[in-house]
Amino acid sequence: MSLVGQRPGSTPAERPGAAPEAPTAPTRHTVSRWQRVRRDRVLLLMMVPGVLYFVIFQYGALAMNVIAFQHYIPFLGMSNSPWAGISNFRTLFGDPGFWQAVWHTVSLALFQLVFFIPVPLAVALLLHSVLNGPVRKFVQSVVFLPHFVSWVVAIALIQQMVGPTGVLTNLLSGGGDHVVNLFTDPSLFQPMMVAELIWKDCGWATVIFTAALFQVDEQLYESAAMDGAGPWRRLWHVTLPGVRPVVVLVLIMRLGSVFSVGFDQVLLQRDSFGQRVSEVIDTYVYYHATVNGDWSVAAAAGLFKGVVALVLVVAANKVAHRLGEQGVYR
Amino acid sequence: MSPATGATARRAKDSGPKVSRMPNGRMPGGRTKARRPAWQEEPRALTTAGKVLATVLITVAVVAPFWVVLATSLSSSRQVTADGGYSLWPREFSLHAFHQILTGSTAGRALVMSLLLVVVGTAVSLAATVLLAYALARPGVIGGGWVLKMTLIAFLFPPGIIPAYLVVDNLGLIDSYPSLVLPVVVDVFNLVVLRGFFQGLPGELFEAARLDGAGEFTVLWRIVLPLSKSVIAVVGFFYGVTYWNDFFRALFYLNDPGRWPLSTLLRLLVTQGVTADANGTTASALQDTSRTTLMATIVLAVVPVLVVYPFVQRFFTKGVLTGAVKS
């Protein structure tokens, strides 16, 4: 498993990461390795803060997952808490609330995947066809903007438009009393989540897709047009195949966050829609730990989520490679 | 966010020259696409009208909420009450809400707290990320491959919130300001973007500097950073926005609401509003004075981003593919 962005010029022989060759020539290698450490000492020094961060806050945190196998009691600390084997996982898998959270997470993620991709793609196609550069640039900047406001702000803004006292609500109901509260109706939870996501992050994907559209070779369009292909056929046979790698990339990346998708977003609205429809794995973990004080079961749920998410991304990446796409990493 | 950007960055770079050679100056949102290519049909008037309408609608859908919140925050609470909880134009212009916030102790302090968090956090994150990215960008640095793998694995398997909490707890950082920065110092996506950019710089630069006897820090400071202003600006903006918008970490790690940054405070106000609505006590539960105050708080939470955005935005369009693949 290695990053794609490796330096083309670095052959395996020069690359230090390829250490497994060490056993073949131990003595010579040790010497040269020390020389290299001496040579690179300043660079190694530069790595220290970043590496420390990863070791402590990423890998150290991964190690903390052992409490999923303990009956963790904060007062006693990790070293004194009794071991629990896999009983936390038994508890977890026996909890209907957990499976409900898993189901909400998966269905919400699928729902968002299916509805999220086409909208920015359509907007990107529209912008791509706008001939006036400044106009296109302006619209692009505007739609990208909500990506940079927090979910708190985004939800507050959307509420101000379509909430019970919102502008659109008022205009559409003509000031009448009979208004549906979009933010509390449990049956509207998923559509609202998707709509909010589209408002906030459509611009993000639009920018990526527009960039991809401009990478499509102009000559392909030209020859397609020569061959008598109309605008729709060019869209189908030239444009869409041209942007497919990027669409796949965005899809996989969203899939990777499938299981964390919308933690902020859901956490903010869980109480208004009701836990019964809106609990996802992340909020389950959070409330189990902070409200119920059940740290070990919460950690077990978190660990389960992490493993499933990892498997999903790796699998999606494999599938993408099978289909001849670049994927996220190689 | 993703380590994909190694791939994307390189792809963008590879195709960079080709793109600029294309007849119509095509960077997304780049120079004007002056003329319609000869092979393209003249659009019908109806199509054009539809496109214009759609473009306007999309823009309005994004801008309108910002406008309503701004207008409401600048209106007197009497007008907001009369208009039904919002205002489309501040007929009775009033800065009362802002005055109330900025003189009030809680929100005023939260604002200062947020600004400090952004400044310190962004500086720390940029420093750590630039140093690591620079070292990893040099070909053949010993251990580089391992470190790179380590970051990728950390990206694919992020620790959950409970283990993260336990680390902060074990370090004794609960209820301390460093807990808002240290757990998120280096973002893998930003790291990969920076590394990709540094790798794209011509190698002769380094050789020449080396011959002049310059050390690595000198090369980084004198040569690399001045050439990387645009990507540093973008990455710095990403970090800044993350720190500015993050409400969860303070909620999780700081028990004293008096020390919360603005975003966490705003979350409290917004969810209170939502819950009040949920209880069926819609507009009356939120006094209209507090409605204008809430709107003013939102404006304060958005303005810094809005102010910086246009300056950084032009750098996005330079390297959109590397820059934008941020989830």
Side-chain angles (χ1 to χ4, degrees):
Chain A
M1 200 161 50
S2 68
L3 284 175
V4 200
Q6 263 162 9
R7 205 174 168 73
S10 61
T11 62
E14 307 167 339
R15 290 201 54 251
E21 62 200 60
T24 51
T27 31
R28 242 189 64 211
H29 204 90
T30 339
V31 173
S32 74
R33 174 170 294 188
W34 267 114
Q35 284 169 343
R36 279 164 61 196
V37 170
R38 266 186 67 79
R39 186 198 65 196
D40 291 341
R41 61 186 186 280
V42 181
L43 291 175
L44 291 175
L45 190 68
M46 287 179 166
M47 290 189 200
V48 168
V51 170
L52 270 184
Y53 161 75
F54 279 101
V55 169
I56 296 174
F57 288 99
Q58 300 281 331
Y59 289 86
L62 281 185
M64 294 297 166
N65 273 313
V66 290
I67 73 156
F69 304 95
Q70 289 183 325
H71 291 299
Y72 177 71
I73 301 156
F75 176 68
L76 293 177
M78 277 173 69
S79 41
N80 295 322
S81 294
W83 288 97
I86 57 164
S87 73
N88 289 322
F89 289 91
R90 285 225 180 86
T91 316
L92 186 66
F93 295 152
D95 178 7
F98 173 69
W99 291 113
Q100 206 175 30
V102 171
W103 168 239
H104 288 155
T105 311
V106 172
S107 59
L108 183 60
L110 286 179
F111 210 53
Q112 289 193 339
L113 274 183
V114 169
F115 286 94
F116 180 70
I117 298 289
V119 179
L121 193 56
V123 176
L125 285 170
L126 173 71
L127 285 182
H128 182 69
S129 74
V130 172
L131 290 178
N132 187 326
V135 168
R136 185 176 61 226
K137 199 175 162 184
F138 175 76
V139 177
Q140 216 176 27
S141 309
V142 167
V143 294
F144 199 8
L145 183 59
H147 179 66
F148 297 107
V149 305
S150 71
W151 267 113
V152 185
V153 170
I155 288 166
L157 289 175
I158 296 170
Q159 259 179 354
Q160 197 57 16
M161 295 308 287
V162 294
T165 58
V167 178
L168 281 179
T169 319
N170 220 345
L171 291 179
L172 294 179
S173 69
D177 284 337
H178 187 73
V179 288
V180 181
N181 189 341
L182 298 176
F183 289 90
T184 52
D185 189 339
S187 64
L188 291 178
F189 173 71
Q190 291 200 344
M192 281 308 288
M193 289 292 127
V194 174
E196 289 167 8
L197 182 73
I198 288 177
W199 185 80
K200 189 170 185 297
D201 273 348
C202 173
W204 168 75
T206 300
V207 169
I208 298 175
F209 289 155
T210 316
L213 284 174
F214 278 106
Q215 306 262 336
V216 176
D217 195 345
E218 188 85 351
Q219 291 178 349
L220 288 177
Y221 287 113
E222 200 174 338
S223 39
M226 296 285 195
D227 292 345
W232 291 110
R233 297 201 55 171
R234 288 203 300 269
L235 173 71
W236 186 252
H237 291 291
V238 179
T239 313
L240 291 183
V243 296
R244 201 178 59 183
V246 176
V247 173
V248 169
L249 182 76
V250 172
L251 258 175
I252 298 181
M253 282 172 49
R254 288 224 64 95
L255 194 64
S257 50
V258 152
F259 274 57
S260 347
V261 88
F263 176 50
D264 286 5
Q265 192 190 1
V266 176
L267 186 65
L268 287 163
Q269 298 174 88
R270 175 180 175 271
D271 293 338
S272 72
F273 280 103
Q275 173 203 355
R276 202 175 52 77
V277 292
S278 63
E279 189 88 295
V280 294
I281 301 179
D282 275 329
T283 54
Y284 180 92
V285 171
Y286 178 67
Y287 282 98
H288 245 69
T290 57
V291 178
N292 302 2
D294 207 344
W295 290 82
S296 285
V297 173
L303 188 58
F304 173 81
K305 186 202 98 166
V307 172
V308 175
L310 177 67
V311 169
L312 268 182
V313 175
V314 172
N317 209 49
K318 274 245 161 65
V319 171
H321 288 165
R322 235 356 110 62
L323 297 174
E325 303 290 350
Q326 255 225 315
V328 175
Y329 64 89
R330 200 171 278 276
Chain B
M1 52 180 204
S2 115
T5 42
T8 6
R10 203 186 50 191
R11 212 183 313 145
K13 222 182 307 149
D14 290 346
S15 45
K18 197 178 80 203
V19 171
S20 53
R21 254 190 279 115
M22 279 184 170
N24 296 322
R26 357 252 344 238
M27 277 309 279
R31 264 138 281 145
T32 314
K33 182 174 157 191
R35 274 187 320 177
R36 182 177 304 283
W39 46 265
Q40 208 171 33
E41 307 82 356
E42 276 299 319
R44 283 175 300 171
L46 196 64
T47 320
T48 313
K51 277 183 190 172
V52 170
L53 186 67
T55 314
V56 170
L57 275 181
I58 291 168
T59 315
V60 168
V62 174
V63 172
F66 286 99
W67 174 254
V68 172
V69 167
L70 180 66
T72 309
S73 74
L74 291 174
S75 303
S76 72
S77 47
R78 195 173 45 165
Q79 187 205 333
V80 173
T81 313
D83 289 3
Y86 59 86
S87 115
L88 298 176
W89 182 258
R91 290 192 312 275
E92 294 181 16
F93 184 81
S94 156
L95 287 173
H96 179 72
F98 287 97
H99 186 256
Q100 211 174 13
I101 293 176
L102 295 174
T103 53
S105 60
T106 327
R109 209 187 308 147
L111 186 62
V112 174
M113 172 66 217
S114 277
L115 290 172
L116 273 178
L117 176 65
V118 167
V119 171
V120 175
T122 308
V124 171
S125 285
L126 265 185
T129 315
V130 164
L131 286 175
L132 186 58
Y134 176 79
L136 291 178
R138 305 308 305 277
V141 59
I142 186 159
W146 290 109
V147 173
L148 211 54
K149 262 182 202 141
M150 189 175 87
T151 61
L152 177 65
I153 293 171
F155 172 79
L156 287 178
F157 197 82
I161 57 170
I162 304 298
Y165 182 90
L166 290 176
V167 171
V168 173
D169 191 22
N170 279 334
L171 292 174
L173 292 177
I174 297 294
D175 275 327
S176 77
Y177 290 133
S179 70
L180 304 184
V181 175
L182 292 181
V184 284
V185 166
V186 179
D187 180 273
V188 177
F189 171 81
N190 289 337
L191 176 70
V192 174
V193 168
L194 276 177
R195 178 174 170 267
F197 187 89
F198 291 158
Q199 284 182 335
L201 296 173
E204 299 86 55
L205 278 178
F206 299 99
E207 296 312 317
R210 188 78 31 76
L211 288 178
D212 289 348
E216 296 288 358
F217 278 103
T218 320
V219 174
L220 174 61
W221 188 253
R222 287 275 166 76
I223 299 176
V224 173
L225 287 188
L227 287 172
S228 317
K229 279 183 196 139
S230 58
V231 72
I232 300 272
V234 170
V235 168
F237 181 68
F238 284 161
Y239 274 131
V241 164
T242 312
Y243 283 117
W244 179 259
N245 285 342
D246 182 29
F247 69 89
F248 179 70
R249 239 162 293 279
L251 184 68
F252 206 30
Y253 297 141
L254 301 184
N255 290 313
D256 174 13
R259 306 172 76 188
W260 280 354
L262 191 65
S263 53
T264 315
L265 197 68
L266 186 61
R267 173 206 164 258
L268 189 69
L269 296 177
V270 170
T271 44
Q272 268 175 359
V274 175
T275 327
D277 283 348
N279 294 340
T281 48
T282 46
S284 54
L286 269 182
Q287 286 302 317
D288 288 312
T289 325
S290 68
R291 172 78 72 174
T292 54
T293 318
L294 174 62
M295 294 306 132
T297 317
I298 296 172
V299 170
L300 287 179
V302 174
V303 160
V305 180
L306 277 186
V307 169
V308 182
Y309 182 66
F311 293 101
V312 186
Q313 197 265 338
R314 63 202 171 98
F315 295 128
F316 291 152
T317 44
K318 273 189 191 164
V320 177
L321 263 186
T322 56
V325 193
K326 167 106 178 162
S327 67

